[in-house]
Amino acid sequence: ERQAGDDEGNVQRAEFFMGKTLFNLKFYSASLSYFTKIVDKGPAHRYYQKTLQWLASLSRFLPESAGVLEKIGKYNRQDLEQPALEPVRNELYYLLGRYHYGLGDLGQAIALLSQVPRESDYFIPAQYFLGVAETRSYHGPEAVEAFKSVLRKNITLQEAANKNKKKLKKEAKKKKKADKKLAKSGKLTGGTTEELSFEEEMQRYQERANLALGYIFYQVGKFETANKYFDKIPLE
């Protein structure tokens, strides 16, 4: 005879695998609704810890308004140390840091954002929000260092991009051709939100970092240094 525990176990298994399946089918909002059921049950759900990795993946495809950050915010820093999370751990440091930053818990935000290593794709946004959190905590030198890290890493990225310019141009041409084909077939429809490439997004962080540095130096009366950073903001 079936036990109630067996039935509950099957329900929990079904929720997790439905979330995974819907994600792989690119039904991201529907996938999130199943993973939300798991997060809401907390550690009592047998797939609670495993869901964290899928939340990290969903954050790349859903807008912030979808509430993925709030789901990640249910977990604590220790949960991020699971060996299975190694491929997405740096991303989760950034996302959980962003969640605590949004709450105004600047100490936690600083501790998490500063864990994102330089080689991570999330280093630039993490350093930018770290700089803002340090500014709001009145840690001037730390804020300046974080914003300068954004600028330094962007220089490294731009140098690498210049080396690969020919290759990138070829890939962009290929993508444009593929998009044209999809548009003709009616499978590609225009979105309502602006989509930025990784390089464009990092460029935005560079502009914000220059603006923030200009503001910091202006506040302490170092007007010449402030102007140096303000002058780096593109006219457009």
Side-chain angles (χ1 to χ4, degrees):
E1 197 176 311
R2 248 187 213 176
Q3 301 295 313
D6 294 337
D7 287 341
E8 178 57 21
N10 287 331
V11 168
Q12 291 187 1
R13 190 169 186 272
E15 284 170 345
F16 181 67
F17 282 93
M18 270 298 285
K20 277 176 66 172
T21 303
L22 289 164
F23 177 88
N24 289 322
L25 290 169
K26 299 184 180 180
F27 296 135
Y28 302 120
S29 295
S31 170
L32 179 61
S33 69
Y34 275 93
F35 288 128
T36 297
K37 291 176 186 179
I38 296 171
V39 174
D40 288 347
K41 282 178 187 165
H45 198 292
R46 63 195 285 193
Y47 292 97
Y48 177 72
Q49 296 292 349
K50 285 185 177 180
T51 293
L52 190 48
Q53 186 169 352
W54 292 90
L55 292 174
S57 299
L58 280 168
S59 73
R60 296 171 212 154
F61 297 99
L62 290 171
E64 278 192 31
S65 57
V68 182
L69 269 188
E70 284 73 14
K71 308 293 175 286
I72 291 170
K74 301 273 185 185
Y75 294 81
N76 58 48
R77 193 172 167 182
Q78 286 67 42
D79 293 323
L80 271 55
E81 304 309 317
Q82 302 169 59
L85 290 177
E86 193 175 344
V88 291
R89 188 172 294 126
N90 295 331
E91 184 178 355
L92 285 165
Y93 281 140
Y94 167 66
L95 291 168
L96 194 56
R98 280 286 312 277
Y99 172 75
H100 285 288
Y101 171 84
L103 283 183
D105 185 354
L106 300 176
Q108 272 276 42
I110 289 167
L112 286 155
L113 294 166
S114 57
Q115 289 295 307
V116 181
R118 187 176 170 77
E119 64 274 10
S120 168
D121 282 350
Y122 293 89
F123 178 75
I124 286 176
Q127 286 294 306
Y128 174 76
F129 281 100
L130 177 62
V132 181
E134 298 282 23
T135 303
R136 287 175 61 189
S137 302
Y138 304 103
H139 302 156
E142 291 84 354
V144 167
E145 187 52 38
F147 290 131
K148 282 186 176 178
S149 291
V150 171
L151 303 181
R152 289 189 204 109
K153 181 68 191 282
N154 252 308
I155 289 167
T156 308
L157 288 178
Q158 283 155 12
E159 284 170 353
N162 287 337
K163 280 182 188 174
N164 295 324
K165 224 169 192 176
K166 204 175 262 185
K167 190 185 171 188
L168 292 167
K169 215 173 181 182
K170 204 175 176 183
E171 284 173 4
K173 207 174 178 184
K174 205 175 173 184
K175 188 182 182 296
K176 203 175 178 183
K177 206 174 175 183
D179 285 350
K180 230 176 184 180
K181 203 175 175 184
L182 282 169
K184 271 186 181 177
S185 68
K187 287 177 185 173
L188 183 73
T189 54
T192 52
T193 56
E194 180 189 8
E195 284 202 17
L196 299 175
S197 70
F198 174 75
E199 289 76 16
E200 287 168 332
E201 201 180 335
M202 296 310 106
Q203 179 68 30
R204 293 277 176 94
Y205 281 113
Q206 180 176 315
E207 288 165 12
R208 290 171 191 157
N210 277 317
L211 202 55
L213 283 163
Y215 178 72
I216 289 170
F217 286 110
Y218 172 81
Q219 289 288 89
V220 295
K222 293 187 177 179
F223 304 124
E224 217 173 293
T225 309
N227 272 334
K228 186 182 89 173
Y229 289 104
F230 286 140
D231 284 343
K232 288 180 182 179
I233 308 298
L235 187 63
E236 67 275 11

